[in-house]
């Protein structure tokens, strides 16, 4: 069956930085369907050749040494451009006619990719519906929606309602690029293809779980967006809660999109949203000191650039095990990692001192940038009596596999074309996630807990470390070692 991708917002940043380079890489690897067409749609008045020339320059920039002019010459003929205005309903019948002409009489899988600003999602969906472009008589029709998927529970429900007026749920792909990362997918393999972890993956052996997404960079040129969004909307509602569900979920009966998403939804349902009085004790919010000096940031902004949140999954497996979620800008380094912190031995027979006793085994899953897995365990230091040291068994993707780690969009675009929704969020999943985050946002907007400042290059505000220590725990503040 033919493949057609229609990109709304074709002259924008996402298209040139991520979508077209990912499609080019799939072509270079021989994974792009031979009968694919990609149609760009936006207001910029490109011709086909002008858009191809523009994308050749930008793709060369973003793929670097992997750019092959011969491959590009094979790829470029599948790129087409049709100018139009997403707010103009008359543009859509013209687009439909142009796309049908390219498709010919063959049944075609058609993907609509909303690479636009979020304020245009609803109007684009409505216009697709009015033009009859969601009907599946001539082949499957799918729509990809980028984050942010709403700004709270009410707006997420509104967007879901609009989508469901035009598309059925199986046609909707809510994309989170974190789930396209190889290490995130490997988390499922680690848990469910290896029998050694299942017996200890529960409250009987695990003390707590840390999920950290730290960014060394500041807000930079994204000040206008970030000041209205903040760290909870930017990172927690989507990325971190997705990682939590994959860490905590039960094994699905089979590797199937609905089965996997059913198990993820069960985890979110098991997290009781916080009451207002609980937020001050169960969260930390911070802001790096020079945030208010960033372009397009309000001079007296109280937007959080750092957050730490403690959640509990109230089910049989995880009862009483805290999940600590943490993310921030202007931190010490770039790292996304999941730390499974195991409990201490029930009885320590070795006189090793208080520091060693507190260091129990841990499993560290590095999502990025040093993708890999480390198991930390105690060993005896040679020729030092019974002195112990925490050491590790380490696996890194780049050392074991010669190929470069693919960009997440390569996997996700292929999945959309194949109709595999395993790594995409379902409507109930999105709304449950907002139901967890909304009470925290409301308490923060009321001033609880107080906003703590921190210097750029630190692991967040000092109160975050004190907060963990008060619970008898410590953050795993270790930057990944790049190969």
């Amino acid at each position: 069956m033919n493949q057609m991708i229609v990109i709304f917002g074709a002259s924008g940043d996402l298209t040139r930085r991520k979508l077209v380079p990912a499609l080019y890489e799939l072509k270079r690897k021989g994974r792009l369907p031979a009968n694919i067409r990609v149609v760009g749609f936006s207001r910029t008045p490109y011709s086909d050749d002008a858009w191809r020339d523009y994308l050749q320059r930008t793709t060369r920039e973003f793929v670097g040494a992997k750019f092959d002019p011969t491959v590009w010459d094979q790829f470029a003929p599948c790129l087409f451009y049709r100018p139009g205005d997403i707010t103009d309903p008359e543009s859509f019948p013209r687009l439909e006619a142009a796309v049908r002409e390219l498709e010919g009489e063959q049944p075609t899988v058609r993907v609509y990719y909303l690479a636009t600003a979020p304020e245009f999602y609803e109007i684009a969906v409505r216009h697709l519906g009015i033009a009859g472009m969601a009907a599946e008589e001539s082949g499957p029709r799918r729509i990809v929606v980028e984050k942010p998927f709403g700004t709270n529970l009410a707006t997420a429900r509104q967007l879901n309602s609009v989508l469901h007026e035009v598309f059925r749920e199986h046609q909707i792909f809510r994309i989170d690029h974190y789930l396209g990362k190889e290490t995130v997918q490997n988390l499922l393999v680690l848990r469910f293809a290896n029998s050694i972890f299942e017996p200890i993956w529960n409250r009987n052996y695990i003390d707590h779980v840390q999920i950290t997404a730290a960014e060394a960079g500041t807000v930079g040129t994204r000040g206008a967006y970030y000041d209205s969004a903040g760290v909870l909307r930017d990172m927690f509602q989507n990325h971190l809660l997705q990682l939590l569900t994959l860490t905590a979920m039960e094994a699905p009966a089979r590797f199937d999109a609905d089965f996997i998403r059913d198990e993820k939804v069960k985890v979110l349902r098991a997290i009781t949203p916080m009451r207002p009085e609980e937020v001050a004790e169960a969260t930390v919010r911070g802001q790096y000191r020079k945030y208010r000096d960033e372009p397009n940031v309000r001079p007296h902004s109280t937007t959080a650039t750092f957050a730490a949140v403690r959640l509990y999954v109230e089910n049989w497996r995880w009862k009483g095990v805290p999940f600590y979620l943490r993310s921030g800008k202007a931190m010490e380094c770039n790292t996304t990692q999941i730390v499974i912190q195991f409990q201490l031995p029930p009885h320590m027979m070795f006189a090793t001192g208080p520091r060693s006793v507190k260091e129990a085994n841990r499993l560290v899953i590095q999502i990025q940038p040093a993708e890999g897995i480390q198991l930390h365990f105690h060993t005896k230091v040679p020729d030092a009596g019974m002195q112990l040291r925490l050491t590790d068994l380490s696996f890194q993707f780049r050392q074991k596999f010669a190929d470069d780690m693919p960009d997440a969009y390569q996997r996700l675009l292929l999945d959309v074309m194949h109709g595999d929704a395993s790594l995409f969020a379902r409507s109930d999943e999105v709304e449950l996630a907002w139901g967890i985050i909304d009470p925290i946002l409301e308490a923060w907007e009321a001033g609880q807990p107080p906003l703590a400042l921190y210097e750029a290059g630190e692991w967040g505000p000092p109160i975050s470390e004190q907060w963990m220590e008060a619970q008898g725990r410590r953050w795993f503040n270790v930057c990944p070692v790049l190969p």
Side-chain angles (χ1 to χ4, degrees):
M1 190 174 288
N2 290 338
Q3 296 276 350
M4 171 71 70
I5 301 177
V6 181
I7 302 175
F8 294 93
S11 61
D13 190 59
L14 178 63
T15 301
R16 68 183 181 88
R17 292 180 64 251
K18 293 294 184 181
L19 301 184
V20 172
L23 291 169
Y24 163 82
E25 281 291 281
L26 291 173
K27 178 68 174 180
R28 186 177 67 85
K29 296 174 181 178
R31 298 175 187 169
L32 197 67
N35 51 354
I36 190 171
R37 301 290 182 270
V38 180
V39 175
F41 178 90
S42 69
R43 288 180 295 182
T44 307
Y46 285 119
S47 65
D48 291 345
D49 288 338
W51 196 49
R52 291 165 183 166
D53 290 343
Y54 167 72
L55 291 178
Q56 181 181 28
R57 295 192 300 272
T58 57
T59 302
R60 184 190 296 270
E61 174 187 353
F62 286 106
V63 305
K66 291 180 286 185
F67 186 85
D68 184 336
T70 302
V71 174
W72 179 264
D73 290 342
Q74 298 168 358
F75 172 62
C78 79
L79 301 174
F80 300 87
Y81 189 88
R82 297 296 179 265
D85 186 344
I86 204 169
T87 65
D88 176 18
E90 298 301 320
S91 291
F92 284 73
R94 292 195 296 269
L95 175 63
E96 168 70 2
V99 170
R100 282 198 176 275
E101 182 181 356
L102 290 170
E103 290 173 343
E105 299 299 322
Q106 295 297 319
T108 301
V109 176
R110 194 188 296 179
V111 175
Y112 304 116
Y113 202 114
L114 299 184
T116 68
E119 57 263 31
F120 297 116
Y121 291 171
E122 290 188 20
I123 195 167
V125 171
R126 292 187 191 280
H127 287 165
L128 285 168
I130 293 169
M133 298 174 71
E136 297 192 289
E137 287 82 1
S138 301
R141 300 292 184 261
R142 299 167 188 150
I143 186 166
V144 181
V145 185
E146 277 277 347
K147 84 172 189 79
F149 198 88
T151 58
N152 54 27
L153 178 56
T155 55
R157 282 176 172 165
Q158 167 65 17
L159 181 52
N160 275 332
S161 176
V162 171
L163 280 163
H164 288 149
E165 289 174 8
V166 179
F167 295 91
R168 288 176 289 175
E169 181 61 31
H170 77 271
Q171 297 175 274
I172 304 167
F173 290 72
R174 300 169 188 85
I175 196 166
D176 183 343
H177 69 272
Y178 259 55
L179 297 189
K181 296 182 184 297
E182 287 287 328
T183 326
V184 173
Q185 299 163 52
N186 198 53
L187 178 58
L188 293 174
V189 176
L190 175 76
R191 288 197 56 197
F192 302 130
N194 297 290
S195 61
I196 61 174
F197 295 112
E198 173 58 25
I200 59 174
W201 206 269
N202 55 55
R203 59 185 170 82
N204 296 321
Y205 295 94
I206 294 175
D207 178 78
H208 70 277
V209 177
Q210 298 179 25
I211 303 176
T212 295
E215 298 179 72
T218 63
V219 171
T221 59
R222 299 176 69 223
Y225 159 74
Y226 199 91
D227 204 42
S228 64
V231 67
L232 285 179
R233 290 186 177 96
D234 191 48
M235 294 297 295
F236 280 69
Q237 183 275 334
N238 37 66
H239 304 326
L240 294 189
L241 282 179
Q242 287 286 340
L243 294 179
L244 185 155
T245 60
L246 292 172
T247 303
M249 66 186 276
E250 298 297 324
R254 61 176 181 265
F255 193 73
D256 171 87
D258 285 335
F259 283 66
I260 291 171
R261 296 195 291 185
D262 285 346
E263 296 302 333
K264 290 166 65 182
V265 164
K266 288 178 186 178
V267 173
L268 294 175
R269 285 179 176 156
I271 299 173
T272 304
M274 295 182 200
R275 298 188 299 272
E277 62 271 18
E278 295 174 320
V279 175
E281 188 271 332
T283 71
V284 175
R285 65 182 181 126
Q287 183 186 92
Y288 65 87
R289 287 191 181 275
K290 294 188 178 181
Y291 170 72
R292 296 171 186 174
D293 297 332
E294 301 283 9
N296 300 314
V297 170
R298 294 166 295 161
H300 303 291
S301 173
T302 58
T303 296
T305 63
F306 170 91
V309 175
R310 184 186 66 215
L311 298 173
Y312 288 95
V313 179
E314 301 288 348
N315 61 18
W316 187 277
R317 181 184 293 270
W318 297 110
K319 181 69 174 179
V321 177
F323 284 72
Y324 294 100
L325 278 56
R326 176 177 62 159
S327 183
K329 296 281 189 184
M331 295 182 69
E332 183 166 322
C333 60
N334 292 316
T335 182
T336 300
Q337 59 191 19
I338 301 169
V339 177
I340 310 298
Q341 182 65 64
F342 293 99
Q343 296 178 10
L344 289 164
H347 172 65
M348 178 60 76
M349 68 184 72
F350 306 106
T352 56
R355 174 178 168 79
S356 296
V357 170
K358 292 180 181 178
E359 290 189 316
N361 305 141
R362 69 174 70 94
L363 182 69
V364 181
I365 303 164
Q366 293 283 356
I367 306 298
Q368 65 176 13
E371 295 89 348
I373 301 166
Q374 295 89 43
L375 177 63
H376 296 183
F377 61 98
H378 282 288
T379 58
K380 178 184 176 298
V381 178
D383 199 25
M386 288 307 296
Q387 181 180 346
L388 306 186
R389 178 180 297 171
L390 205 65
T391 186
D392 64 89
L393 294 173
S394 181
F395 158 76
Q396 288 193 335
F397 276 87
R398 286 183 172 86
Q399 292 179 349
K400 295 295 183 180
F401 301 100
D403 293 339
D404 291 335
M405 297 293 286
D407 179 83
Y409 279 94
Q410 296 177 38
R411 168 64 187 267
L412 295 174
L413 285 168
L414 276 181
D415 283 355
V416 174
M417 287 185 271
H418 295 154
D420 183 353
S422 303
L423 299 177
F424 298 82
R426 205 165 59 191
S427 60
D428 53 349
E429 191 176 343
V430 170
E431 293 179 14
L432 285 166
W434 275 121
I436 295 166
I437 297 301
D438 270 7
I440 303 174
L441 285 168
E442 291 168 8
W444 283 15
E445 288 166 2
Q448 291 297 325
L451 185 70
L453 299 180
Y454 63 99
E455 301 292 342
E458 296 180 347
W459 286 95
I463 189 66
S464 173
E465 306 295 332
Q466 299 162 15
W467 179 71
M468 283 291 274
E469 288 171 5
Q471 299 171 68
R473 300 180 172 98
R474 289 183 299 177
W475 288 115
F476 184 70
N477 292 338
V478 177
C479 293
V481 178
L482 297 176

